[in-house]
Amino acid sequence: MTTTRTQADPRPRLHLGVFYTGVGPQLIWTDPSTPSHTAVETFVDIARTLERGLFDAFFLGEGLRVRENRGRVFDLDVAGRPDAVTQLSALAAVTERIGLVATQNTTYNYPADLARRLASLDLLSEGRAGWNIVTTDNAWTGANFRHGGWLEHERRYDRATRFVEVAKELWASWDPDAVATDGRAGAWSAPGAVRSVAHDDDLVRLRATATVPGSRQGRPVLFQAGDSDGGRELAARHADVVFSSHTAYDKAVAYAEDLRLRLARYGRSPDALRILPGTSVVLGDTAAEAEEKARWVRNEQVNGVRALAYLEQYWGTDLSGYDPDGPLPDIEPDAGELDPSRGTLAIELRSGKAALIRKWREHAAERGLSITELVREVSAGHASFVGTPSSVADTWAHYVRTRAVDGFNILPHLLPASVTDIVDRLVPELQERGVYRTAYEGTTLRDHLDLPPVTA
């Protein structure tokens, strides 16, 4: 086993969430067993199943614009899902314990308005709300908003940091006992118990008074995807939970060590932050069955049409005339930048695509890969953990016992099957190993995550 500098945790607790993205190829909506991805009943059923599995939280992704490809709506993506805060407010009424986390953008929202909406969800759910903090700098999304693509790429984390700081000030601006509990008090709130917040710089400008008191957990739990340097700094400074893409053990350890060093620089303890890498899971009765299922999942996620659309971003031209089961296009890519019109699709390079395409061609020629086969290899979405419930539980127990991670945020590939599989088959194995709760021990999301009380 790899030697690391992590310290064994004598009382490990694995935390789990499910991240419902709603767009992209991750969810296989074409399978006959899949329910509607826009019907409220689907989300109610999933949330209740997760609550039965004692999950910490249910996350909804955000889509501020319907995705496109080459200027046209990309009609293989699910579209039509309601706003996350609205949808989670509905789920708050039909669940009792599970945390409800909304992905919300700091680039195209206003601090006072978003802080109010998130505080409202937190109050209505009795302390179960969370905010997954994301940034967007592309003009394509910005075209839906008054400012358009107004924020330069490198400044998005500056804006996010100031936005979060102001939101936290607003949430802390009501004293815990601000609201009168007795009609004889003579006033709804005690004098000075509610304070105004002001901020004025080039990225955030407001003068506001919060209209919603704090919840049982004080304020919404803050989640942040922190892989870049700017993201890691924002997470270390403000987040309660951080996502990463590092599911390979050594990379997970290195990421955790780096983040905990950054926490120390802000005077925060290692236990002030939970690390939950995003991951996908494919389970089978045997290792061979799990591998076969994982191949089926990947083939369904990346079909020929999706593969051509993926390459069109890099070639910068229409490739619909090419056979997705044939070799890579024999034309040279357009000299311009990568096509940003798909919006949320992960694009690793903003320049240098010619070198990347040469590398793909060499790899495809060496392996005899078609367009579809290549894209299945090079695009994101591969299952991180594939095996029997017992083998995956062993692996996860090792990760959490050595503090490489504090848990995982799961991206389901098939609903409801992949969620019920985890709840009914993997959760009991984790409980048997003593790394997963057997009952909720608190009522708030902060309780579930075993986070320290809010101090700022």
Side-chain angles (χ1 to χ4, degrees):
M1 185 171 293
T2 305
T3 301
T4 72
R5 289 173 290 176
T6 54
Q7 299 297 314
D9 188 341
R11 298 181 60 193
R13 171 64 56 83
L14 187 80
H15 300 279
L16 292 178
V18 156
F19 185 63
Y20 195 121
T21 59
V23 297
Q26 181 70 34
L27 284 168
I28 304 171
W29 59 265
T30 54
D31 191 85
S33 68
T34 302
S36 168
H37 281 291
T38 58
V40 67
E41 292 84 3
T42 301
F43 294 88
V44 170
D45 288 346
I46 294 168
R48 285 175 169 168
T49 298
L50 295 175
E51 196 166 64
R52 177 168 63 82
L54 307 175
F55 272 56
D56 292 67
F58 176 48
F59 300 74
L60 283 180
E62 179 182 57
L64 295 178
R65 180 166 175 166
V66 174
R67 294 205 303 170
E68 299 174 8
N69 184 51
R70 308 292 308 154
R72 297 185 299 274
V73 170
F74 187 65
D75 55 12
L76 292 186
D77 269 358
V78 173
R81 195 184 64 211
D83 166 73
V85 174
T86 305
Q87 188 133 344
L88 292 174
S89 296
L91 294 181
V94 294
T95 57
E96 296 180 356
R97 296 295 183 89
I98 193 165
L100 304 167
V101 184
T103 301
Q104 297 288 292
N105 194 291
T106 60
T107 306
Y108 299 118
N109 277 298
Y110 292 98
D113 175 61
L114 182 55
R116 170 183 164 80
R117 288 189 284 120
L118 290 167
S120 297
L121 175 62
D122 203 28
L123 194 65
L124 292 171
S125 65
E126 298 186 294
R128 293 189 282 138
W131 173 20
N132 180 27
I133 305 160
V134 296
T135 67
T136 300
D137 65 337
N138 66 70
W140 178 81
T141 297
N144 281 2
F145 299 87
R146 184 174 65 181
H147 289 294
W150 63 279
L151 186 61
E152 295 177 3
H153 177 79
E154 60 271 15
R155 301 210 68 195
R156 62 181 180 169
Y157 283 113
D158 292 337
R159 158 86 172 174
T161 298
R162 296 173 206 179
F163 193 117
V164 173
E165 288 170 351
V166 168
K168 290 171 75 173
E169 283 188 65
L170 287 164
W171 292 327
S173 65
W174 283 58
D175 288 345
D177 56 353
V179 178
T181 57
D182 191 327
R184 293 171 296 180
W188 179 261
S189 60
V194 180
R195 297 168 294 281
S196 294
V197 172
H199 190 96
D200 189 354
D201 62 30
D202 61 332
L203 290 175
V204 173
R205 180 176 293 116
L206 87 162
R207 182 177 296 277
T209 303
T211 59
V212 180
S215 71
R216 288 184 181 181
Q217 65 178 354
R219 60 159 172 79
V221 175
L222 300 181
F223 296 74
Q224 157 67 30
D227 265 346
S228 69
D229 186 70
R232 293 184 192 207
E233 281 300 299
L234 177 59
R237 189 171 184 173
H238 288 297
D240 302 304
V241 182
V242 63
F243 303 139
S244 83
S245 60
H246 304 298
T247 53
Y249 183 76
D250 287 344
K251 289 184 178 180
V253 168
Y255 178 83
E257 290 177 346
D258 174 74
L259 203 56
R260 286 165 185 149
L261 287 173
R262 295 175 192 248
L263 283 170
R265 293 203 293 268
Y266 289 105
R268 302 180 68 194
S269 75
D271 286 329
L273 184 69
R274 298 284 170 258
I275 300 173
L276 307 181
T279 190
S280 55
V281 183
V282 177
L283 301 174
D285 290 336
T286 65
E289 180 185 299
E291 291 290 347
E292 179 60 30
K293 188 187 294 187
R295 281 190 291 273
W296 176 85
V297 168
R298 190 60 178 155
N299 291 347
E300 291 294 310
Q301 289 174 336
V302 183
N303 58 24
V305 178
R306 285 190 183 275
L308 287 172
Y310 183 87
L311 291 191
E312 281 178 346
Q313 296 171 98
Y314 294 87
W315 260 261
T317 190
D318 179 13
L319 299 177
S320 60
Y322 284 85
D323 180 1
D325 295 321
L328 267 62
D330 53 3
I331 59 175
E332 291 306 310
D334 185 274
E337 288 293 309
L338 291 173
D339 175 13
S341 69
R342 287 288 299 284
T344 55
L345 182 67
I347 294 176
E348 295 180 355
L349 301 175
R350 292 180 178 269
S351 61
K353 64 179 182 180
L356 177 64
I357 289 172
R358 282 197 302 272
K359 181 179 178 181
W360 284 350
R361 280 177 167 156
E362 292 169 1
H363 180 67
E366 181 182 339
R367 298 275 307 279
L369 302 177
S370 67
I371 288 173
T372 303
E373 290 168 337
L374 175 81
V375 174
R376 285 172 182 162
E377 286 196 11
V378 302
S379 59
H382 296 274
S384 302
F385 297 97
V386 178
T388 65
S390 177
S391 68
V392 173
D394 284 340
T395 300
W396 283 10
H398 172 59
Y399 273 56
V400 73
R401 283 171 179 153
T402 55
R403 294 300 305 277
V405 304
D406 295 300
F408 295 97
N409 201 26
I410 299 165
L411 288 78
H413 56 270
L414 191 64
L415 294 175
S418 58
V419 169
T420 54
D421 235 15
I422 292 169
V423 168
D424 293 337
R425 303 180 67 195
L426 181 55
V427 163
E429 295 283 352
L430 294 168
Q431 291 170 328
E432 187 175 300
R433 286 155 180 77
V435 296
Y436 195 74
R437 64 171 64 92
T438 55
Y440 285 114
E441 298 169 6
T443 61
T444 70
L445 178 54
R446 186 166 289 273
D447 289 338
H448 303 339
L449 291 162
D450 196 23
L451 291 166
V454 171
T455 57

